[in-house]
Amino acid sequence: MTSPTVRVLYIDDEENNLQAFRAAFRRQYEIYTAPSAAEGLKIMQHIDIHVVLADQKMPNTTGVEFFKSIVKTHPDPVRILLTGYTDIEALADAINHGDIYRYVAKPWNDLELHNSMKNAYDSYVARADLKNKITELEKTNDELNRFIYSISHELRAPLVSVIGIINLVKMEGLYNSSGEYWNLIETCSNKLDYYIQKTLQYYKNTKDIPDRSEIDFSQLVNELIELHTYADKDTTFHVNIIQKAKFIGDAFRIEVILSNLISNAIKYQKSNELNKTVNIEIDVDEFEARIEINDNGLGILKEHLEKIFTQFFKSKIHHGTGLGLFIVKEALNKINGVINVSSNIEDGTTFKITIPNAK
Amino acid sequence: MPNKTGKVLLIDDNDIDLKINSKVIKLSNFFDEIILCQSGEEGIKYITTNLENPALWPDFILLDIQMPEMDGFEFLEIYKHFPQTFLDHCKLAILSSTLDFGDIKKAEANPLVIKLLKKPLYPNELKELLDRTTTLLGS
């Protein structure tokens, strides 16, 4: 195996040092030398240098000044400062502003300097690898984003057409014309649509950084109730919202949280209950929003209460996807919210949520 | 019941959706004429050629977002340059299956879009919207 070519630039105003350096290291490294910072910079502009060494004490520009000057333009080469003086100030400066990797005292010891340059090169390679990995990751991430976007369109659009056709079948009075087949198609289509929607919600929640926008709870809750009661108007909502202060929070996640809870409250009602009710109480001040959603629905078995927030948990009787409350919990985690639940089979379920005001 | 007047222009690249939505509108009897356009360009062309003839103006447009070449937002960029008299006459809603938060917010923020309707199109939803718009227009 051939060892990689390591390109080293050494800048020093004393020609003797440059010569000694070349003589000592030309077998192991590809050596470039320059008598001044300006000459050194010229070389760096044309050649991809891996390790750059500079003498501290030079007439026009000191080694540290040189390193400082290339921090932005040439961030990749790893820097080593050589100096014959124990100049504490220069050293502090070099470490704080010149981003140097090693400090080597002059006159140097060949072995020590060789090791320093070897380690410097390893560090260069590690940094370059990391940079490539990051670029690769960004690319993968980007592809994933586009993939998710296309799922939300390409995969869902035809499904929505199917639901539209079922809708037309109903309008034309043909829904019951083929036994229960239309009903079965409708159930399957709705289920698939629900899964696509929840998958997207989950993905978006794990990925997006929290955004900050002003939230009008009254408007949001009423929109969500309107949306979810569209197909099922049996449930009565009592909404009481007191918003005493402006609330800043993550609009998408708060919508996902409320939407899932409201949808559940409607979905898991007792079918024989004549007075299906959902109460929503929201109290917003400058510190937090306290939300309580209470229903007189089916309730949750005591032994299930601990599991309802885990992914794919579903009870045997009620056919959910096992995603809704899991997504609620995940979304709350992202925005430092807290959720508590109390429930029993007789009275129904109450969810209490607290979301901090990011104002 | 919205009075059965006027024309609706449907813009959607998906011919199945065009068929479904025009059928829904026809069955619900909301408009007496349905004009179908398979692309944003076709929609712009219809309006441009009939600009001098208000009798042929659509009263309502249902616009899809995801279309090849010219998407819904690009359509709106051109649409907004039509004369104010036309824009006052014709109301526009988006009809899309999108779940993309960005798309939804962008559509809601556009002053020319009175509402974002989600596919599938339900007659009740459209009726509500049409009722609301006619009261808004005071006619």
Side-chain angles (χ1 to χ4, degrees):
Chain A
M1 204 182 99
T2 53
S3 49
T5 310
V6 182
R7 287 185 287 272
V8 177
L9 168 65
Y10 177 34
I11 305 169
D12 196 324
D13 61 316
E14 283 172 60
E15 181 57 30
N16 288 344
N17 287 341
L18 295 178
Q19 270 180 23
F21 185 81
R22 261 196 302 262
F25 299 111
R26 69 187 164 81
R27 276 182 212 87
Q28 295 110 307
Y29 301 95
E30 195 173 303
I31 307 277
Y32 298 83
T33 54
S36 70
E39 291 290 316
L41 187 62
K42 247 187 234 165
I43 292 173
M44 291 186 78
Q45 278 159 354
H46 291 98
I47 288 153
D48 222 351
I49 296 292
H50 299 135
V51 180
V52 55
L53 302 94
D55 181 34
Q56 167 62 4
K57 203 159 178 289
M58 294 188 289
N60 291 320
T61 314
T62 68
V64 172
E65 281 167 353
F66 171 69
F67 285 147
K68 266 198 218 171
S69 74
I70 60 165
V71 164
K72 288 239 162 61
T73 50
H74 297 84
D76 296 336
V78 180
R79 304 112 207 272
I80 295 175
L81 186 72
L82 289 172
T83 170
Y85 306 86
T86 341
D87 181 346
I88 293 291
E89 238 171 79
L91 267 181
D93 210 22
I95 290 166
N96 294 338
H97 303 289
D99 191 18
I100 66 154
Y101 175 73
R102 280 286 153 84
Y103 151 76
V104 176
K106 273 207 311 194
W108 66 74
N109 167 303
D110 277 2
L111 185 64
E112 188 199 339
L113 189 53
H114 171 66
N115 281 335
S116 293
M117 289 195 290
K118 210 166 130 285
N119 292 341
Y121 178 70
D122 289 343
S123 153
Y124 175 91
V125 171
R127 270 197 241 169
D129 279 352
L130 191 62
K131 225 170 148 183
N132 287 338
K133 289 256 159 59
I134 290 173
T135 320
E136 252 172 63
L137 264 180
E138 278 168 352
K139 201 174 142 248
T140 315
N141 212 357
D142 201 48
E143 279 167 5
L144 191 60
N145 277 345
R146 264 178 288 142
F147 177 68
I148 293 293
Y149 191 79
S150 81
I151 283 191
S152 73
H153 295 149
E154 263 57 76
L155 206 62
R156 189 161 178 265
L159 176 62
V160 172
S161 301
V162 172
I163 298 172
I165 294 167
I166 298 167
N167 194 21
L168 268 178
V169 168
K170 280 186 194 164
M171 287 175 77
E172 298 211 43
L174 300 169
Y175 193 72
N176 296 316
S177 64
S178 332
E180 56 174 346
Y181 291 148
W182 281 112
N183 179 263
L184 293 176
I185 293 176
E186 185 177 31
T187 310
C188 295
S189 307
N190 286 342
K191 209 172 192 173
L192 179 54
D193 189 29
Y194 186 79
Y195 257 110
I196 293 179
Q197 295 200 28
K198 293 296 135 174
T199 307
L200 285 173
Q201 278 183 1
Y202 172 70
Y203 170 77
K204 255 188 79 71
N205 177 56
T206 49
K207 235 198 93 344
D208 284 15
I209 42 165
D211 97 290
R212 293 164 57 91
S213 37
E214 194 178 339
I215 290 162
D216 178 345
F217 278 94
S218 205
Q219 191 192 343
L220 178 63
V221 167
N222 285 320
E223 275 173 15
L224 289 172
I225 291 175
E226 195 190 329
L227 182 76
H228 289 293
T229 49
Y230 212 86
D232 177 359
K233 291 205 193 303
D234 290 350
T235 307
T236 314
F237 276 82
H238 298 291
V239 181
N240 182 20
I241 298 173
I242 303 163
Q243 184 154 3
K244 285 170 272 192
K246 193 165 136 177
F247 190 89
I248 303 291
D250 186 306
F252 167 73
R253 290 191 175 88
I254 291 172
E255 188 177 324
V256 163
I257 292 161
L258 292 176
S259 176
N260 275 297
L261 291 175
I262 290 173
S263 149
N264 277 356
I266 297 171
K267 212 166 16 172
Y268 300 117
Q269 287 283 355
K270 291 176 182 139
S271 53
N272 56 355
E273 170 70 54
L274 295 172
N275 197 9
K276 296 175 184 165
T277 315
V278 176
N279 298 307
I280 301 180
E281 302 262 346
I282 300 182
D283 188 11
V284 184
D285 60 28
E286 55 183 315
F287 305 109
E288 60 190 18
R290 287 174 298 278
I291 302 163
E292 197 173 314
I293 299 178
N294 157 271
D295 66 59
N296 63 347
L298 291 161
I300 301 163
L301 285 171
K302 209 173 167 196
E303 58 264 40
H304 287 167
L305 271 181
E306 280 169 29
K307 299 186 209 149
I308 54 172
F309 295 112
T310 45
Q311 191 173 15
F312 300 125
F313 171 78
K314 22 187 162 176
S315 74
K316 277 186 195 135
I317 322 154
H318 316 301
H319 303 281
T321 55
L323 282 173
L325 288 175
F326 171 64
I327 291 169
V328 167
K329 187 82 204 296
E330 293 286 302
L332 277 165
N333 282 347
K334 288 270 177 182
I335 56 175
N336 301 318
V338 185
I339 187 163
N340 283 301
V341 56
S342 57
S343 181
N344 65 63
I345 315 271
E346 284 79 44
D347 309 321
T349 308
T350 304
F351 285 99
K352 283 185 187 167
I353 302 164
T354 313
I355 303 169
N357 193 343
K359 207 171 67 168
Chain B
M1 191 74 200
N3 43 340
K4 184 186 158 182
T5 49
K7 302 173 181 53
V8 63
L9 178 65
L10 303 184
I11 304 173
D12 198 323
D13 64 304
N14 182 335
D15 48 358
I16 293 180
D17 280 0
L18 270 185
K19 198 178 269 179
I20 296 170
N21 295 329
S22 63
K23 199 77 200 263
V24 167
I25 292 170
K26 198 180 277 169
L27 284 173
S28 0
N29 225 8
F30 291 153
F31 294 95
D32 44 25
E33 197 180 334
I34 303 166
I35 306 152
L36 304 179
C37 290
Q38 287 231 23
S39 69
E41 290 89 341
E42 221 180 284
I44 294 289
K45 210 176 130 204
Y46 176 85
I47 299 169
T48 317
T49 38
N50 296 309
L51 260 188
E52 302 302 319
N53 193 351
L56 292 175
W57 287 0
D59 301 276
F60 203 77
I61 295 177
L62 284 170
L63 172 70
D64 187 22
I65 297 179
Q66 294 80 35
M67 296 184 284
E69 309 263 330
M70 184 191 289
D71 71 16
F73 295 113
E74 287 165 326
F75 174 90
L76 284 167
E77 275 309 296
I78 301 174
Y79 181 80
K80 72 174 182 200
H81 296 294
F82 282 126
Q84 196 56 43
T85 45
F86 176 84
L87 295 179
D88 288 342
H89 175 87
C90 181
K91 294 295 150 209
L92 184 147
I94 298 255
L95 177 60
S96 166
S97 63
T98 189
L99 292 176
D100 186 81
F101 198 63
D103 280 353
I104 293 170
K105 291 288 151 202
K106 217 164 127 192
E108 282 171 351
N110 193 305
L112 292 169
V113 177
I114 57 167
K115 174 127 185 154
L116 181 133
L117 293 171
K118 291 194 177 146
K119 284 183 190 170
L121 176 64
Y122 289 103
N124 288 350
E125 250 174 290
L126 184 58
K127 178 184 180 300
E128 247 166 60
L129 181 61
L130 291 172
D131 284 348
R132 209 145 46 92
T133 359
T134 37
T135 21
L136 270 177
L137 290 172
S139 59

